[in-house]
Amino acid sequence: QKEVEQNSGPLSVPEGAIASLNCTYSDRGSQSFFWYRQYSGKSPELIMSIYSNGDKEDGRFTAQLNKASQYVSLLIRDSQPSDSATYLCAVNGPGGYNKLIFGAGTRLAVHP
Amino acid sequence: KAGVTQTPRYLIKTRGQQVTLSCSPISGHRSVSWYQQTPGQGLQFLFEYFSETQRNKGNFPGRFSGRQFSNSRSEMNVSTLELGDSALYLCASSGAGTGGTDTQYFGPGTRLTVL
């Protein structure tokens, strides 16, 4: 079992719709969760971090964390073609400090 | 504030050579982490440095090494290059280094091609 799992997609949504991206992780001790966006040929850029169970909203983005189910998700409201990218879920790895374990990423395509 | 910078941006080497990549973190950040990204394996953690000390290491062979200087700039070195080392090498910086996992900000990466 991979440590961090994401559906590779592509996830195709129409412009203006809600895109829902999901991620599961295997280490019950994980405490820190991050969503990054990566455009083709570019480096990952941080969208949001979440540390506590529940929802965290930032503009059109909402991250949801459920530690009991070992599940974290990202909702993108009013999706735009510019949101088309690969979304990477990252979880803190064993050993502490700044070690992140990344999922393989979900490719999102927003079509006009 | 300037972001994370990495040099060089592109590099072509041949098998058996060695390479050194450089990373300058965001001003004030003391933690630098290195990752390798390939189409097959995705983003994988190499190692992390804080205050010139390696605090954590991923599952890579000893050919991969790094160091950090007193100004927090970091270098990673790959010796005896193999074809499979062709990848995007990403550096990420973060701030407090309190023991938890801080938010990491990535540089633009160095694209290494091994021929």
Side-chain angles (χ1 to χ4, degrees):
Chain A
Q1 182 193 7
K2 289 185 181 177
E3 294 175 271
V4 180
E5 296 210 47
Q6 296 181 256
N7 188 321
S8 62
L11 173 65
S12 183
V13 300
E15 184 174 356
I18 295 175
S20 178
L21 305 161
N22 304 315
C23 172
T24 58
Y25 59 95
S26 61
D27 185 356
R28 281 201 171 274
S30 296
Q31 297 293 324
S32 307
F33 307 86
F34 304 88
W35 283 100
Y36 286 86
R37 176 174 63 194
Q38 187 173 27
Y39 292 109
S40 181
K42 301 292 187 183
S43 62
E45 57 178 322
L46 179 73
I47 296 174
M48 189 175 298
S49 59
I50 186 166
Y51 303 94
S52 304
N53 278 330
D55 295 359
K56 180 181 178 182
E57 188 174 316
D58 184 359
R60 296 186 296 113
F61 299 96
T62 299
Q64 299 174 316
L65 175 61
N66 183 325
K67 290 184 181 179
S69 300
Q70 295 174 247
Y71 174 93
V72 58
S73 65
L74 180 71
L75 300 178
I76 306 174
R77 289 182 299 281
D78 188 24
S79 295
Q80 301 296 310
S82 59
D83 294 325
S84 298
T86 296
Y87 289 79
L88 299 163
C89 171
V91 176
N92 68 288
Y97 306 117
N98 294 315
K99 174 180 181 177
L100 291 180
I101 307 297
F102 282 85
T106 297
R107 192 157 55 92
L108 173 66
V110 181
H111 54 87
Chain B
K1 228 183 217 187
V4 181
T5 58
Q6 291 187 246
T7 56
R9 294 292 311 279
Y10 301 92
L11 209 45
I12 299 176
K13 292 286 188 179
T14 55
R15 278 182 301 174
Q17 288 187 308
Q18 75 165 16
V19 65
T20 299
L21 313 180
S22 179
C23 171
S24 292
I26 293 170
S27 178
H29 283 190
R30 297 166 63 191
S31 169
V32 173
S33 299
W34 288 90
Y35 295 84
Q36 181 197 66
Q37 187 173 33
T38 60
Q41 298 298 318
L43 257 167
Q44 293 185 285
F45 174 81
L46 281 156
F47 30 66
E48 186 235 1
Y49 286 87
F50 179 82
S51 291
E52 302 178 65
T53 300
Q54 186 183 90
R55 294 198 301 186
N56 211 335
K57 191 176 187 304
N59 295 324
F60 279 82
R63 299 186 297 106
F64 292 82
S65 62
R67 60 178 175 168
Q68 187 180 34
F69 302 95
S70 58
N71 62 357
S72 294
R73 189 177 70 86
S74 177
E75 289 181 346
M76 69 162 280
N77 184 77
V78 188
S79 63
T80 318
L81 283 166
E82 301 177 358
L83 295 179
D85 297 332
S86 295
L88 179 66
Y89 289 88
L90 292 158
C91 158
S93 86
S94 56
T98 55
T101 302
D102 301 313
T103 299
Q104 295 182 42
Y105 300 92
F106 283 86
T110 295
R111 172 76 61 186
L112 171 64
T113 302
V114 182
L115 302 176

